[in-house]
Structure formats: structure tokens, C-alpha cells
Amino acid sequence: MRTRALASEFLGTLLLVFFAVGCAVLGVEFIGTVGIALAFGFVLLALAYALGPISGCHVNPAVTLGMLCARRIDVATAIGYWIAQFVGGIAGAALLFLLAKQVPGIQTHGAFGSNGYGDRSAVHINTGGAFLAEVVLTFLLVFVVLGVTHRVAVVGFDGLPIGIALAVIHLIGIPLTGTSVNPARSLGPALFAGGSALSQLWLFIVAPLVGGLLAALVHHVTHPAGEERTIADEVAAA
């Protein structure tokens, strides 16, 4: 079970980065901002149903932190998930980089689907604004994940609101920072983009984790204690 769960988190994060970030790198001229936002939402929606019964389909260190703080998983599981997610994000970016290199005119240095602020933001948002945006946007994502995977939620429909939430988050976040809300999603592309993408990477690791932590704290207040679903529950019910 543990090996399958780690493989699930690795594969899920790889696929999220390759397909969703790939839409931003390879298809932005054809599908625009709305298309990219929908791509992130649809990919996560599909992965939630495909991998959810195996690992919970976190594919995001901020979600894993929220689950840890909500006592849905233990520390050892969280550490394993974080490693799998970051490695998966790098692998997905590497695969996308190899594909992009085969397409004439595709710029892989400097941007490559990475996140940014200041001159690297479409609206030139400053550092504080970018940090606040990523905290709030990640808060929404993790709060929705915790809410719909709670035992009192409607079981079987977890993936739909999560996918919708991520799409909406990207609609507002893309002009601001390119939308991270996921440190693993940000790390992979930044490593291949280089330059200021790497120097600004810290924000897109720290801010989403803060947002995930805050979401877990608020969820503890808004939802009844002792009724959480765990990964073991999901696997047993599958």
C-alpha cells in the first residue's frame, strides 16, 4: 500500500505538470488563459478519480501539509508524499522540456510555465501581493479538499469540486503570479527556466504551505471533529 501510494503521488504530480503546465508552455496561443485554467482543473479532476483511491491524490505538498495538520495522515506518510511529489514535478517538467525542445519557436528559458512576480507577472504584482495571493488561493484549494473529503461530505463526488476550485483559482491567479498553489508544480518548471524563476521560487514554496496550514486550522473550526475520512477509509471503500 505504501509503495503504491508513493508511486501514485509521483505519477499524479508528473502528469499534472506535464499536461497542465504543458498547456501553458505549448498551447497558450491557441487556448488562452481560460483554456489553461480549465486544463489544470480537468487534469486534477481526472487524477482525483484515477488515483484518489490509492493515495488520496494530493499531488501537492500544500494539500499534504493540510492533511497532516488535519490528522488525516501521519508524519512518515507526509514526508514520503512530499518527496514523491517534488520528484514527480521535476520529472514532469523534464518530460515537457524534452517535448518543447522539439517544437520550433518554443521558449524554454526564462518562462517555461514557471511562476513569478514583479517583471515576471502579467500585472507586475509586487512581492507582498504575490505572497498574499498565493496564500489565499492555496487556502481555498486546500480548504475545499479537506471539506469534500470529510466524512460528512457526499462521498464519490470529491473530484468535481476540487477540479472546479483549481480552475477558478487559475482564472484569477494566472494574471497575478501564473498561479502556483503547489510547490511541486512550481519547482519543476523553475529548474528548467532558470534565472529569476529560480530566485523567486522561494515564494511559491513558502506561500502555498502557509495557505495549506491556514486552511487546516480553519477547517478544524468549521467542521466537526472526529469524523474525518482517512486514506485507509477510502481504500477500504474502493
Side-chain angles (χ1 to χ4, degrees):
M1 165 59 188
R2 181 170 175 79
T3 301
R4 291 177 61 236
L6 295 178
S8 171
E9 288 299 308
F10 168 82
L11 178 62
T13 312
L14 183 157
L15 294 174
L16 178 67
V17 170
F18 179 79
F19 283 101
V21 178
C23 285
V25 173
L26 302 173
V28 63
E29 295 182 3
F30 304 97
I31 63 176
T33 298
V34 174
I36 295 170
L38 291 176
F40 272 92
F42 284 146
V43 171
L44 185 59
L45 171 61
L47 291 174
Y49 287 111
L51 302 177
I54 302 173
S55 67
C57 191
H58 297 184
V59 298
N60 183 338
V63 171
T64 297
L65 178 61
M67 289 289 186
L68 175 63
C69 294
R71 299 180 181 178
R72 307 277 187 89
I73 58 175
D74 57 31
V75 174
T77 299
I79 293 174
Y81 275 27
W82 285 327
I83 294 172
Q85 290 157 1
F86 279 117
V87 174
I90 294 171
L95 188 60
L96 178 59
F97 182 82
L98 291 175
L99 177 60
K101 282 295 186 181
Q102 313 310 311
V103 182
I106 294 295
Q107 178 63 257
T108 56
H109 181 76
F112 193 61
S114 59
N115 304 112
Y117 50 87
D119 292 340
R120 303 189 69 251
S121 162
V123 297
H124 300 281
I125 192 170
N126 61 28
T127 306
F131 195 95
L132 177 61
E134 287 294 331
V135 168
V136 174
L137 295 177
T138 309
F139 173 90
L140 173 60
L141 175 63
V142 177
F143 187 76
V144 169
V145 170
L146 291 173
V148 301
T149 57
H150 196 270
R151 189 177 295 277
V152 298
V154 179
V155 179
F157 291 89
D158 304 4
L160 186 59
I162 294 172
I164 292 173
L166 187 62
V168 172
I169 285 167
H170 276 77
L171 286 175
I172 187 174
I174 287 175
L176 300 176
T177 63
T179 311
S180 170
V181 302
N182 183 339
R185 167 262 182 271
S186 294
L187 175 62
L191 290 177
F192 290 91
S196 56
L198 281 175
S199 65
Q200 295 184 357
L201 178 62
W202 68 270
L203 187 147
F204 302 104
I205 293 177
V206 176
L209 293 177
V210 172
L213 175 61
L214 291 176
L217 294 176
V218 174
H219 177 268
H220 179 71
V221 175
T222 58
H223 289 68
E227 296 183 356
E228 293 82 1
R229 284 162 56 196
T230 65
I231 291 176
D233 293 330
E234 295 172 1
V235 173

